[in-house]
C-alpha cells in the first residue's frame, strides 16, 4: 500500500483505504472485484474449451455463461464498494 496518493501526492493515514481521501483516486481493488475478474476469465476459458469438446458442450457453455454472470455481479459489487468509499 502506498504511503502517498499517486495522483495528488497527499499522505494516506489508513493503510487499508480503498480511495484517496483528498482526490477520490482508487488506490486498490476490493478482493471481490479480483475474484470477479478471475471468474470472468474462467468463464471465457470454458467457452474456448467448449469449442474442442466432443460431448457435453451445451453444459459447458451454460456453465460458462453462469460463471461469467456471477463474475460480472462480483465486479459490480466491487464498484459499489468503491463508490461507497468515495462518498464516505
Amino acid at each position: 500500500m502506498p504511503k502517498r496518493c499517486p495522483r495528488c501526492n497527499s499522505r494516506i493515514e489508513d493503510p487499508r483505504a480503498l480511495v484517496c481521501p483528498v482526490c477520490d483516486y482508487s488506490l486498490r481493488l476490493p478482493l471481490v472485484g479480483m475474484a470477479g475478474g478471475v471468474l470472468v476469465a474462467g468463464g471465457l476459458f470454458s467457452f474456448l474449451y467448449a469449442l474442442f469438446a466432443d460431448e457435453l458442450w451445451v453444459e459447458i457453455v451454460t456453465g460458462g455463461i453462469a460463471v461469467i454472470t456471477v463474475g460480472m455481479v462480483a465486479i459490480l459489487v466491487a464498484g459499489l464498494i468503491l463508490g461507497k468509499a468515495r462518498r464516505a
Side-chain angles (χ1 to χ4, degrees), residues 4-12 19-27 86:
R4 296 201 171 268
C5 176
R7 180 189 278 172
C8 68
N9 206 19
S10 67
R11 185 158 174 76
I12 298 170
V19 296
C20 174
V22 176
C23 68
D24 290 338
Y25 179 75
S26 296
L27 297 171
R86 284 190 176 121

Side-chain angles (χ1 to χ4, degrees), residues 27-71:
L27 297 171
R28 62 187 179 102
L29 185 65
L31 188 60
V32 69
M34 291 183 226
V38 169
L39 286 172
V40 169
L44 293 174
F45 178 75
S46 73
F47 290 156
L48 182 65
Y49 180 75
L51 289 174
F52 301 107
D54 292 333
E55 53 198 37
L56 298 174
W57 66 272
V58 173
E59 289 84 1
I60 294 170
V61 170
T62 306
I65 291 170
V67 169
I68 288 175
T69 303
V70 170

